[in-house]
Amino acid sequence: GENVEQHPSTLSVQEGDSAVIKCTYSDSASNYFPWYKQELGKRPQLIIDIRSNVGEKKDQRIAVTLNKTAKHFSLHITETQPEDSAVYFCAFGGTSYGKLTFGQGTILTVHP
Amino acid sequence: ETGVTQTPRHLVMGMTNKKSLKCEQHLGHNAMYWYKQSAKKPLELMFVYNFKEQTENNSVPSRFSPECPNSSHLFLHLHTLQPEDSALYLCASSQEPRDDQPQHFGDGTRLSIL
């Protein structure tokens, strides 16, 4: 079935450093790749997404890159801040009707 | 963001109880979803509704019974649950039930089964 592998499962960085989270997906027909941030006790929130016709997308300190040949996409956070600490989930839209497949999540901790 | 509202936020129930979770979206979306979020597991899709019609039941046990009276409201009726059903239950909505559209989540209901 469809699946996505997300690494690392935990990531600890110092404030100001960069953080990178990578996901590898199974369905080569996938064309939509969102990233969600979930703070403790709060809802998952979409922070950035990319479609298969684009290789990279940026929004201030966050960026997502997509390598369709290798079937992986990555979230890049630059100049990390303590408020970036959260669980980050990748997902991909496959061929199933209305079904996103989510990764296992990465716990990011940014130390002041 | 208050686009998707879920009640209650927390629920503790015994295995023989019957309770319902409620979700309401104010975004004018046509599709609504129920997800189960357990510790150290990916989000599990349970049900998908497209403008009141159920389009997917992801092999969910019958002790979970969804209801969608209109495109803005979604319920999850619970009865004779098991301890392993303890989890965070998230509701989400999107413009259409397509897997290439952003989904907007509620804050979830933290369910504990005694």
Side-chain angles (χ1 to χ4, degrees):
Chain A
E2 297 169 345
N3 65 80
V4 55
E5 292 186 7
Q6 182 172 344
H7 296 284
S9 56
T10 60
L11 180 58
S12 183
V13 300
Q14 288 296 128
E15 183 176 1
D17 289 350
S18 295
V20 181
I21 304 169
K22 181 178 175 179
C23 285
T24 303
Y25 59 98
S26 58
D27 190 343
S28 57
S30 305
N31 58 15
Y32 178 62
F33 306 89
W35 284 91
Y36 287 84
K37 174 185 180 182
Q38 187 176 24
E39 297 177 54
L40 189 62
K42 296 191 176 180
R43 69 186 69 194
Q45 286 195 302
L46 179 72
I47 55 172
I48 196 167
D49 56 11
I50 193 169
R51 298 186 185 273
S52 58
N53 59 345
V54 176
E56 183 177 358
K57 184 176 178 180
K58 284 186 178 180
D59 182 3
Q60 300 184 340
R61 294 187 298 109
I62 60 173
V64 56
T65 57
L66 172 65
N67 184 325
K68 288 180 62 180
T69 303
K71 291 193 289 187
H72 65 71
F73 58 111
S74 299
L75 178 71
H76 304 256
I77 306 175
T78 58
E79 300 172 34
T80 53
Q81 301 168 3
E83 51 265 39
D84 294 329
S85 296
V87 181
Y88 291 81
F89 294 94
C90 65
F92 72 91
T95 56
S96 297
Y97 186 64
K99 180 178 178 179
L100 283 176
T101 301
F102 286 85
Q104 300 92 327
T106 296
I107 302 172
L108 173 65
T109 304
V110 181
H111 299 281
Chain B
E1 180 186 334
T2 58
V4 181
T5 305
Q6 289 186 245
T7 55
R9 291 295 310 278
H10 302 274
L11 179 61
V12 179
M13 57 188 285
M15 288 190 285
T16 58
N17 291 156
K18 287 185 179 181
K19 295 286 184 183
S20 296
L21 310 185
K22 179 182 176 182
C23 176
E24 184 174 357
Q25 59 96 2
H26 308 276
L27 300 169
H29 290 167
N30 291 323
M32 296 188 77
Y33 311 79
W34 279 117
Y35 285 91
K36 177 182 179 182
Q37 186 175 34
S38 305
K40 299 183 180 179
K41 284 187 175 181
L43 281 168
E44 300 174 51
L45 179 66
M46 300 175 72
F47 302 103
V48 181
Y49 275 83
N50 176 24
F51 199 64
K52 303 188 297 181
E53 299 296 324
Q54 186 180 124
T55 57
E56 179 149 352
N57 176 338
N58 205 28
S59 303
V60 180
S62 59
R63 57 186 184 270
F64 294 91
S65 175
E67 179 190 359
C68 189
N70 55 61
S71 59
S72 299
H73 294 85
L74 185 64
F75 296 89
L76 189 62
H77 304 298
L78 316 171
H79 63 98
T80 60
L81 295 192
Q82 304 299 308
E84 60 266 27
D85 297 325
S86 297
L88 180 68
Y89 288 85
L90 290 163
C91 173
S93 71
S94 63
Q95 187 63 53
E96 302 295 338
R98 292 171 50 145
D99 58 7
D100 62 352
Q101 293 190 349
Q103 292 186 10
H104 299 260
F105 287 86
D107 284 327
T109 294
R110 175 69 62 186
L111 177 64
S112 298
I113 306 300
L114 300 178

